[in-house]
Amino acid sequence: MLHLRLIVPADRMPAVLDLLEGDVSVTHLVVLSGAARDPVGDVVLCDVAREGASAVLGALRGLGIADDGSIAAENIDILMSEAGKKAERAAPGLGTDAVVWEEIEQRVSDETHLSATYLVFLTVATIIAAIGVLLDQPILIVGAMVVGPDFGPLAALCVGVVQRQWTMAKRATVALLVGFPVAMLLTLGAVWLLAAADLADRSMLLDERPLTDFIWRPDALSWIVGFLAGIAGIVSLTSAKSGALVGVLISVTTVPAAANVSVAVAFGVFDEAWGSAVQLVVNLASIVLGGVLTLLVQRLFWRRRSLQPQRTASAQRVAARARRAAREGRRTRG
């Protein structure tokens, strides 16, 4: 379940209470009249089953609470309550499958910034993968995948496209289109330094590498792996499962290919560099396609089951009147 903390302007309280009291997925409702000072309003606390959370949050935003008050939500790790169990049973679907769109957008929004931390992690991951390519060591490739941070922008790009959050999608695209070239250029310099220190040479790249040569040989299976990685990544994101572990799966199709481009260019093996570049582009495209299709299917499924809160007819009428009043109030203030 999710715990909600709301700051509600006084003129919106009747509609908010009717909304929350009439929704079967909401329980543990507490009202602290006049408790909020900034912004001014009443504080409302409640718990909502994840299956109905997105509909409730959407309705609250429709009432203008996010504009004139505040909406905060957090996951509940431990809840011992018969009322809570009743709300979970009454809500449609299963909590483990529920998609809370507001939570997803919040979670991925920070991953879209082209920060120094992101560039450092991506560069370090690419250099580790480059050494793994030269030594034909899958252990180093796995280590690079653990460090790689590219799951965040890829997930944000998928969410931005599906939710039509074009600013988020644009920032995520910039993080990918700038981050990978920067990391590859720095890795190219690192390989040259290794060669100058006599720690690496061209023969290491040209030798038989049965454990890592898949990195620069794109084929249909590469596309399938990337597509499945996109599905797994988005399901991990929406179901709040272990995103870190799934991020490793995402990186298996991106970071090693980017590293191999740098290594191949450093030693003038341009056919291998081209193959690795094609592998990287194909994998990025297949991950995004898999992620977008997964989100579209989830949105269609939950729109049918829980787009509207499970509330009474009278509560719906009151909420509709409050939404109209909120819009008129915003126009008056404007």
Side-chain angles (χ1 to χ4, degrees):
M1 298 192 76
L2 294 180
H3 178 68
L4 302 185
R5 185 184 72 251
L6 314 174
I7 297 178
V8 182
D11 63 323
R12 243 67 57 81
M13 273 301 295
V16 169
L17 289 179
D18 276 314
L19 167 70
L20 298 178
E21 290 175 343
D23 194 299
V24 297
S25 63
V26 177
T27 186
H28 307 141
L29 182 61
V30 177
V31 177
L32 305 175
S33 299
R37 293 294 179 264
D38 185 20
V40 175
D42 302 326
V43 175
V44 178
L45 308 175
C46 65
D47 299 329
V48 56
R50 287 185 62 87
E51 303 93 310
S54 193
V56 170
L57 291 171
L60 289 170
R61 292 172 70 178
L63 292 172
I65 306 304
D67 300 322
D68 305 323
S70 171
I71 303 174
E74 58 184 350
N75 285 296
I76 300 175
D77 295 326
I78 299 176
L79 178 64
M80 294 178 284
S81 166
E82 287 300 321
K85 293 178 181 178
K86 181 179 178 181
E88 289 181 326
R89 288 194 296 268
L94 297 175
T96 54
D97 297 330
V99 179
V100 184
W101 294 103
E102 292 78 7
E103 179 186 40
I104 295 169
E105 292 177 14
Q106 188 73 33
R107 190 182 300 172
V108 301
S109 62
D110 292 337
E111 304 291 341
T112 61
H113 299 290
L114 187 64
S115 64
T117 301
Y118 168 77
L119 290 175
V120 168
F121 272 116
L122 188 57
T123 301
V124 169
T126 309
I127 293 174
I128 293 174
I131 297 173
V133 165
L134 289 170
L135 297 178
D136 195 33
Q137 285 293 330
I139 294 178
L140 294 178
I141 299 296
V142 172
M145 294 185 299
V146 172
V147 177
D150 47 315
F151 171 60
L154 285 167
L157 176 58
C158 296
V159 173
V161 170
V162 172
Q163 292 292 91
R164 297 182 180 180
Q165 300 282 349
W166 302 122
T167 300
M168 177 189 298
K170 180 180 178 181
R171 289 202 306 262
T173 302
V174 170
L176 293 169
L177 294 182
V178 175
F180 271 107
V182 168
M184 291 162 67
L185 285 173
L186 293 175
T187 301
L188 176 63
V191 173
W192 280 337
L193 289 176
L194 291 174
D198 202 25
L199 296 175
D201 56 58
R202 194 170 187 269
S203 64
M204 298 172 68
L205 185 67
L206 298 177
D207 285 344
E208 290 293 326
R209 291 181 290 135
L211 300 180
T212 57
D213 65 353
F214 70 93
I215 293 172
W216 63 280
R217 299 180 188 275
D219 54 22
L221 290 178
S222 301
W223 188 92
I224 292 173
V225 169
F227 185 80
L228 294 175
I231 294 175
I234 292 301
V235 171
S236 167
L237 177 70
T238 58
S239 63
K241 297 297 182 183
S242 178
L245 292 178
V246 178
V248 175
L249 176 60
I250 297 293
S251 294
V252 72
T253 62
T254 56
V255 170
N260 207 68
V261 172
S262 299
V263 174
V265 170
F267 292 119
V269 186
F270 295 109
D271 59 333
E272 188 167 330
W274 173 252
S276 300
V278 172
Q279 180 86 291
L280 176 61
V281 172
V282 168
N283 288 339
L284 289 173
S286 61
I287 290 170
V288 172
L289 179 61
V292 167
L293 291 179
T294 301
L295 284 171
L296 288 174
V297 171
Q298 289 178 317
R299 187 172 68 172
L300 177 63
F301 177 78
W302 283 101
R303 173 172 290 176
R304 289 179 175 178
R305 303 197 66 170
S306 60
L307 182 62
Q308 294 296 327
Q310 307 299 302
R311 56 190 184 218
T312 63
S314 65
Q316 291 184 24
R317 290 194 294 271
V318 172
R321 289 197 298 269
R323 283 195 294 271
R324 289 195 295 270
R327 287 195 295 270
E328 292 173 0
R330 287 195 291 271
R331 283 198 295 268
T332 301
R333 289 191 297 273

